[in-house]
Amino acid sequence: MKIFTHLCSYILLLVVFNVPKGLSDNPPLQDVCPMAPQGERKLFMNGFLCKHPSTILASDFKTLLLNHAGDLDNIVRSSVNVVTATEFPGLNTLGLSMARTDIAPNGVVLPHSHPRASEMMFVHGGSVVVGFLDTKGRLFQKSLGEGEVFVFPRGLVHYIMNYGFSHATTFSVLNSQNPGVVGIVHAMFATDSDVVEGLMARMFKFGEMGVSDNITADFPWAL
């Protein structure tokens, strides 16, 4: 019995000290911490200073920033509105941010990644094809309809395509108050370049092939 107790204690210590760090933002040290207005910030820190507890209001925890569609009049025919603690004070220290994505028929959200967060996406309306690449180059792709959910792991390149005949809308929650966005294509080419158009065409051609999940070759964005 004594040996069993020591063994259990050893296993527990291994679990505690080997839990991956940085899976999301650091936990808060108080119940809530809405971001302080710009004029009240006296120093720079990794995050935002809190409002004085006596000035916190219920309105600090409400936002209307995701209640309307974005502008789809662009080359990719899509719009992504990410709301972080910068725009929504109540998110400060909670390790969360949100996003709304609107995609017109034949529109895409080009390959990108979030270096500080995983993303859980809910399809509010329409139908989309989504996918991400892991670090071994394997592609995980799925078709999603209204009410379905898909997860993009932290830091991995992912994309969304509208494959329906109507407007598609998705809502996402990310486990960082500042997830960051690294646009793979826009980091190298102008938004209105022929490269972007060519990439969109290849992505849709790939989808039309009806390829099953986890295919590792013939990526549509290979330039």
Side-chain angles (χ1 to χ4, degrees):
M1 182 66 181
K2 192 172 183 179
I3 295 176
F4 178 78
T5 302
H6 285 303
L7 181 61
C8 289
S9 299
Y10 180 73
I11 293 174
L12 180 60
L13 285 173
L14 282 178
V15 171
V16 169
F17 287 103
N18 285 281
V19 171
K21 306 300 181 184
L23 293 181
S24 62
D25 294 350
N26 290 328
L29 300 177
Q30 56 196 58
D31 289 343
V32 294
C33 176
M35 179 184 65
Q38 183 72 36
E40 296 181 17
R41 300 178 210 162
K42 305 300 181 183
L43 53 87
F44 179 83
M45 61 183 298
N46 188 21
F48 299 108
L49 291 174
C50 306
K51 294 177 67 174
H52 191 280
S54 65
T55 67
I56 296 175
L57 304 171
S59 58
D60 291 322
F61 305 97
K62 175 184 176 180
T63 183
L64 298 175
L65 293 176
L66 300 182
N67 72 344
H68 59 278
D71 182 12
L72 305 182
D73 186 18
N74 53 66
I75 191 171
V76 293
R77 298 182 284 280
S78 67
S79 171
V80 181
N81 180 19
V82 180
V83 177
T84 69
T86 303
E87 299 82 24
F88 187 5
L91 292 177
N92 194 39
T93 76
L94 299 186
L96 295 171
S97 57
M98 307 175 298
R100 172 175 176 154
T101 301
D102 295 283
I103 315 174
N106 295 319
V108 303
V109 176
L110 293 174
H112 65 283
S113 66
H114 304 290
R116 292 181 291 276
S118 298
E119 176 180 355
M120 180 178 290
M121 187 193 76
F122 168 77
V123 181
H124 180 260
S127 56
V128 296
V129 171
V130 300
F132 68 86
L133 282 166
D134 71 5
T135 56
K136 295 181 180 180
R138 293 181 299 176
L139 173 64
F140 297 83
Q141 179 173 282
K142 274 291 186 183
S143 299
L144 303 177
E146 183 175 334
E148 295 189 297
V149 173
F150 195 80
V151 175
F152 302 115
R154 175 179 177 176
L156 297 186
V157 174
H158 56 278
Y159 58 88
I160 312 171
M161 300 180 281
N162 184 343
Y163 259 81
F165 298 100
S166 60
H167 183 105
T169 301
T170 71
F171 291 93
S172 299
V173 174
L174 302 96
N175 64 336
S176 171
Q177 72 175 51
N178 184 23
V181 179
V182 179
I184 307 303
V185 178
H186 292 164
M188 298 181 289
F189 306 102
T191 303
D192 58 352
S193 71
D194 293 337
V195 174
V196 176
E197 278 284 10
L199 177 59
M200 290 176 59
R202 292 186 186 195
M203 289 178 72
F204 279 105
K205 184 177 180 181
F206 182 73
E208 290 167 0
M209 292 166 58
V211 180
S212 62
D213 298 334
N214 308 340
I215 294 300
T216 59
D218 299 323
F219 295 134
W221 48 85
L223 300 175

